[in-house]
Amino acid sequence: MVCLAVAYNILNTFISKMAADTITITLYGAIAFFGLVGCAIFWSFMSWKFSVLNKIPGPIKDMTFKNWLIGVFLQVESEDFMEPQKSWWKEAGEDTKLLHYSALFGKQFVMILDADGIKKVLTSPSHEDPLYPKGFEYLARVLGHGLVTLEGQSWHRHRRIIQPAFSINFVKTALDACVPDLVLKLIGCWKANVNNDIDLSSHMGATTLDIFGKIAFSHEFEAMKSVEQWSQDPDCAVELKNPLIEGLDAALTASLTRLLLFNLKMPFMERFFLPKLHHAGVLFDQASDNVVKNAQKQSQLNNGGYKSLLEFMCSDSSHGALSQKELRHEVKTFLIAGHETTATLCTWAIYCMTKYPSIQQRLYDEVMEAHGPKDKINVDTCDKMEYMECFLKEVLRLYPPVGLTLRSASKNTTILGDKIPANTKIVVPTYLLHRHPKYWTDPLDFKPERWSKTAEKDPKFHHFAYIPFSAGSRVCIGQRFSMYEAKLILALLIREFEFIISPSLEGKELRVSSFVTIRSDPPISIRANSRCG
């Protein structure tokens, strides 16, 4: 018993000492951790407070801790798209070439409002050690490492493998084979509900999704089924129910928490703070893998029909082949870049027709001059409609689907004579640039004729003041595809319908918002009156 008591006392003393040492170590560790965090915050604040960028005009005048912590984040999030930047620009003066502002934790942004400055950034070499990479860490977590988010040699390799898939012959053949049938379904649904409001964005989204699913992936999204359900029950909302789409929508849903995680360089914490979004991302990956597997099966079974874009990517080329993981990332990238942007273009195009009836009539006359009431409309015939081309260019000028482009300075550099430190975010404001009075006569007026081949060239025009598909080596690979698709869809619809704005929106001013692509608030709603009575 005595031995047991002695042993117990020795063990108890040892455990107590261990516990005390553990508490001490933990305490010292916590002090060290918070000390390092405090030093990092102090250093970040002081770097922001005394940054050379503060010489550039901008909204933040007081270099206080509060402004470092929040910056203009809340203002930008709460106001209409580009409205804060427009007000800062107006305050700084119309001749201002650069604007400086900061977001959460002193994250520095420089907006370029000069076409020559934008030319320097967008035409900078991209395939080797780029000076102005995109720096899309956040977007890469959603879409993976595809053409939009890759940098340097990796981007260059993907581009060279994928580029042949966008040959003019493939684009025309694929669109002619796919678009008319799907648009005819849409026409049938609209004719069944001529007196009902049409949520244009949803209907265009469903149409372009099915088109792109077939052409790009040999995949049936069956999004038009939701439009067909709407035609039977107009009170039913058009919902795109598909694992790939649901995964994309959920994964793209922005939140303050996610933005904070990326500003703090802790994206790995996403699964703990945002478990639902993390799970959606997993499902998104799985659905993308299934699309790749299906395309590979289709490629093996293809008996002379045109290949999908993904089938081209699955094939070996002189530049190598993409791995399964790389193919998955490109599926996610093309899903959003390939269907959402064209749907947005068509939505704003039809809105402009409702706003300018004389322009709509001229488009109809051109379509009927090129085709009879029942003639087949294809890409080649649409390509000959010059006014349609001018019209779409003007839509893209005032309502570019992607309203801004981001770059990041990889090292210290100079833009338009101002020093730009490394890691500064460079903003190319396409939406504002397309309305800049320095580069456009009557910049806010909708004038398709300004693009006519016979029109006198605007003396203010600058090629880098019009960049709806970006510019330079990283210009959108699918710009020709998107323009042909939009022309074909709109020509088919214009021949059948006269568009008017929904009575619920008459007299209302639409606000512009941006979530990947620019959208209207409230959503654009129209009525389509059949021209055949």
Side-chain angles (χ1 to χ4, degrees):
M1 288 292 292
V2 174
C3 291
L4 285 173
V6 171
Y8 172 78
N9 288 330
I10 292 172
L11 183 61
N12 190 45
T13 301
F14 179 71
I15 292 173
S16 299
K17 182 171 176 40
M18 276 191 65
D21 288 343
T22 302
I23 293 172
T24 302
I25 293 170
T26 303
L27 182 61
Y28 285 151
I31 291 171
F33 173 76
F34 286 110
L36 288 173
V37 170
C39 289
I41 290 173
F42 178 76
W43 175 257
S44 176
F45 171 70
M46 295 304 289
S47 298
W48 171 81
K49 184 178 178 70
F50 296 104
S51 172
V52 295
L53 295 176
N54 294 331
K55 297 176 182 177
I56 300 173
I60 296 178
K61 304 294 191 295
D62 300 322
M63 300 293 111
T64 62
F65 186 81
K66 178 183 176 182
N67 283 333
W68 169 82
L69 187 64
I70 300 174
V72 298
F73 175 79
L74 295 179
Q75 183 182 359
V76 171
E77 287 295 305
S78 61
E79 296 186 25
D80 292 355
F81 180 61
M82 285 291 170
E83 284 302 315
Q85 289 88 339
K86 274 199 287 186
S87 64
W88 305 332
W89 181 16
K90 184 177 180 181
E91 183 181 339
E94 193 176 281
D95 294 333
T96 300
K97 295 183 177 182
L98 298 177
L99 275 177
H100 164 238
Y101 55 94
S102 56
L104 298 171
F105 305 107
K107 187 67 176 178
Q108 307 269 27
F109 289 81
V110 169
M111 176 176 283
I112 307 176
L113 295 163
D114 181 88
D116 288 320
I118 288 168
K119 179 180 179 180
K120 175 182 178 180
V121 170
L122 295 185
T123 59
S124 176
S126 299
H127 60 284
E128 286 185 10
D129 190 23
L131 177 58
Y132 301 107
K134 288 192 172 184
F136 286 167
E137 301 93 344
Y138 167 71
L139 197 57
R141 290 284 294 176
V142 178
L143 298 181
H145 299 286
L147 271 183
V148 171
T149 56
L150 283 172
E151 304 288 358
Q153 287 293 345
S154 296
W155 164 79
H156 190 55
R157 172 176 164 267
H158 277 235
R159 180 88 182 203
R160 293 175 75 184
I161 291 174
I162 296 169
Q163 184 71 56
F166 283 89
S167 69
I168 187 68
N169 289 334
F170 166 77
V171 169
K172 287 185 174 182
T173 301
L175 288 172
D176 282 339
C178 180
V179 173
D181 289 342
L182 285 168
V183 176
L184 285 176
K185 280 187 181 181
L186 182 67
I187 289 170
C189 293
W190 284 8
K191 284 189 173 182
N193 285 285
V194 291
N195 294 319
N196 287 295
D197 291 349
I198 296 168
D199 181 347
L200 199 52
S201 179
S202 297
H203 287 235
M204 287 295 103
T207 306
T208 59
L209 179 59
D210 275 355
I211 291 170
F212 199 74
K214 284 187 175 183
I215 294 175
F217 310 136
S218 297
H219 187 78
E220 296 287 347
F221 284 109
E222 298 184 333
M224 287 298 295
K225 282 188 175 180
S226 61
V227 180
E228 291 170 348
Q229 291 172 356
W230 168 87
S231 69
Q232 298 168 8
D233 179 13
D235 294 327
C236 170
V238 175
E239 296 182 7
L240 309 183
K241 294 185 176 180
N242 181 282
L244 202 58
I245 298 305
E246 290 173 0
L248 175 65
D249 288 344
L252 282 174
T253 301
S255 68
L256 180 60
T257 308
R258 176 174 265 191
L259 288 173
L260 284 171
L261 290 175
F262 276 83
N263 272 283
L264 294 172
K265 306 296 183 185
M266 294 193 300
F268 56 88
M269 296 296 289
E270 183 179 285
R271 67 173 62 199
F272 303 108
F273 286 98
L274 301 167
K276 289 185 178 179
L277 285 183
H278 177 74
H279 181 63
V282 173
L283 295 179
F284 191 23
D285 284 345
Q286 292 173 351
S288 300
D289 287 337
N290 289 335
V291 170
V292 172
K293 290 176 183 176
N294 180 63
Q296 290 170 330
K297 288 180 182 177
Q298 290 292 329
S299 185
Q300 294 171 357
L301 299 173
N302 197 298
N303 296 315
Y306 71 85
K307 287 184 176 182
S308 69
L309 290 174
L310 191 53
E311 286 177 69
F312 274 108
M313 286 187 252
C314 290
S315 306
D316 285 329
S317 73
S318 58
H319 306 295
L322 297 177
S323 68
Q324 292 294 109
K325 186 177 180 180
E326 289 173 327
L327 287 169
R328 176 212 296 166
H329 291 172
E330 293 300 354
V331 165
K332 295 192 289 186
T333 297
F334 278 103
L335 178 62
I336 186 167
H339 106 87
E340 183 73 21
T341 50
T342 307
T344 301
L345 171 57
C346 290
T347 298
W348 286 107
I350 293 176
Y351 167 72
C352 289
M353 289 186 222
T354 68
K355 195 173 180 180
Y356 307 102
S358 62
I359 290 176
Q360 181 174 182
Q361 182 61 43
R362 187 168 172 181
L363 287 166
Y364 173 71
D365 292 341
E366 185 179 61
V367 171
M368 294 307 293
E369 185 179 339
H371 321 87
K374 300 296 181 182
D375 288 350
K376 184 177 181 180
I377 298 179
N378 58 36
V379 172
D380 282 331
T381 55
C382 287
D383 209 26
K384 296 174 183 177
M385 295 189 286
E386 292 183 10
Y387 191 71
M388 174 74 82
E389 176 84 11
C390 297
F391 169 73
L392 284 176
K393 284 184 176 179
E394 188 69 349
V395 173
L396 286 168
R397 185 182 72 84
L398 286 176
Y399 304 101
V402 180
L404 63 83
T405 298
L406 284 177
R407 292 287 189 269
S408 184
S410 62
K411 60 185 78 170
N412 294 340
T413 184
T414 301
I415 298 178
L416 299 173
D418 283 296
K419 294 180 180 179
I420 309 296
N423 301 317
T424 302
K425 287 291 183 182
I426 310 297
V427 182
V428 177
T430 309
Y431 185 81
L432 293 184
L433 192 68
H434 286 187
R435 296 161 179 251
H436 199 313
K438 180 180 177 181
Y439 303 112
W440 306 95
T441 300
D442 302 322
L444 300 182
D445 292 349
F446 189 84
K447 293 182 176 181
E449 57 272 15
R450 75 171 80 233
W451 299 101
S452 173
K453 294 176 182 177
T454 59
E456 186 178 344
K457 187 176 180 181
D458 190 339
K460 293 184 174 183
F461 181 75
H462 190 300
H463 284 289
F464 282 84
Y466 182 72
I467 48 171
F469 296 101
S470 191
S473 60
R474 299 206 65 154
V475 67
C476 175
I477 196 173
Q479 62 172 316
R480 188 163 50 188
F481 181 98
S482 180
M483 286 294 284
Y484 281 143
E485 182 184 3
K487 286 179 187 177
L488 191 50
I489 291 172
L490 292 173
L492 289 161
L493 293 176
I494 288 168
R495 184 168 67 175
E496 299 293 334
F497 300 106
E498 178 186 9
F499 305 112
I500 60 172
I501 200 72
S502 169
S504 63
L505 293 182
E506 285 183 1
K508 288 187 178 180
E509 191 69 30
L510 296 183
R511 301 169 59 194
V512 177
S513 61
S514 179
F515 182 71
V516 182
T517 56
I518 65 167
R519 303 179 181 184
S520 69
D521 182 20
I524 296 171
S525 179
I526 65 155
R527 290 194 179 177
N529 297 328
S530 176
R531 292 184 184 273
C532 301

